[in-house]
Amino acid sequence: MWSDGPHRNAETHVRESHELNPRRGPVLLSILFAFVVRLLLVMLFLPFSALDKILNRKAAIEQARAAVSAPWLAAVLIFAGFCVEVVMSLAILTGVVDRLAAFILADYCLVTALLWKQFWKASDFRLKGASRGREVFWDFLKNVALAGGFLLLTFGTSASGVGRFLAHPLASSQPYVIIANGNAQ
C-alpha cells in the first residue's frame, strides 16, 4: 500500500519517481531529441570529415596547399582542423563548454568557406547549365548556413544571448536539463 503521509519509505519514493512517473518517457524523449539535433549539426565533422582527414591524409594536405604553399604548413592546418572537428564536436554533444565550441566551429566553417570554397574564382561560374563554379557556390553557402546553425547554438534565439555569451563564454547551454514548473529535473 502506498503511503501519502510524511513517513513514506525510500522504496515508495523510488517507485513513484521512476516507475510510475508518467513524465519519465517525455523527459527521456526530450533529452534524446536534444542529443540527436546536436548530432545532426556536428555529424559532418564527427565522424565523417575527421575520418576523411585520417584516411585521405595526402589528399587533404594537397587541398590545404591551395591556401598555403608550404607542405608542412598544410599538414599543420589539416591536423589543426582535425582537432577542431573532433574536440569541438564532442564538446557540443556532451554540453561541456558547448557554446564556445559552437562559436569556434562557426568560425571554422566560415574560414574554410573563404579558403576552399572560392566560387568567385571559378572561370565557369554560371547559373544555368554545367558549372563547377556553381557547385562550389553551393558548398560555400552550405558552410555559411552551417556556421549560422552553430551561431544559433552559441547565442540562442534572442538578442540577449550575445551578452550572455560574452559575459560567460565558457558556460554550458545545459542542453540535457529539463525545466518543469520552474525547477530543473
Side-chain angles (χ1 to χ4, degrees):
M1 174 125 231
W2 298 105
S3 170
D4 293 327
H7 304 290
R8 296 167 33 176
N9 64 30
E11 182 182 325
T12 301
H13 178 71
V14 168
R15 275 194 211 131
E16 287 179 354
S17 64
H18 292 290
E19 294 173 9
L20 301 176
N21 185 347
R23 293 192 33 82
R24 186 171 183 223
V27 167
L28 291 176
L29 184 62
S30 296
I31 291 170
L32 179 63
F33 187 77
F35 179 80
V36 169
V37 167
R38 287 167 172 263
L39 181 63
L40 290 172
L41 195 58
V42 301
M43 72 186 293
L44 172 69
F45 302 115
L46 186 68
F48 297 109
S49 182
L51 188 58
D52 186 59
K53 284 176 178 54
I54 293 170
L55 297 176
N56 299 300
R57 185 180 55 83
K58 289 180 182 179
I61 291 171
E62 283 305 310
Q63 182 184 20
R65 289 194 65 199
V68 296
S69 58
W72 68 269
L73 187 53
V76 168
L77 285 176
I78 294 302
F79 180 72
F82 173 83
C83 291
V84 165
E85 291 175 358
V86 171
V87 174
M88 298 307 128
S89 294
L90 289 173
I92 288 171
L93 289 173
T94 61
V96 176
V97 193
D98 58 335
R99 292 172 41 212
L100 180 60
F103 186 75
I104 291 169
L105 275 175
D107 292 337
Y108 180 76
C109 288
L110 293 173
V111 167
T112 57
L114 292 171
L115 291 178
W116 286 284
K117 307 300 182 190
Q118 299 176 351
F119 66 91
W120 56 90
K121 288 186 175 180
S123 61
D124 72 337
F125 183 79
R126 57 184 165 275
L127 295 177
K128 190 172 181 180
S131 169
R132 175 70 182 132
R134 190 177 70 249
E135 291 173 19
V136 176
F137 173 72
W138 288 115
D139 288 341
F140 177 87
L141 283 182
K142 288 176 190 175
N143 275 34
V144 171
L146 191 54
F150 286 124
L151 289 174
L152 191 61
L153 189 61
T154 302
F155 301 121
T157 59
S158 68
S160 64
V162 174
R164 278 195 315 271
F165 175 74
L166 293 175
H168 304 286
L170 299 178
S172 171
S173 68
Q174 300 181 346
Y176 306 117
V177 172
I178 303 293
I179 305 295
N181 300 329
N183 300 319
Q185 287 186 345

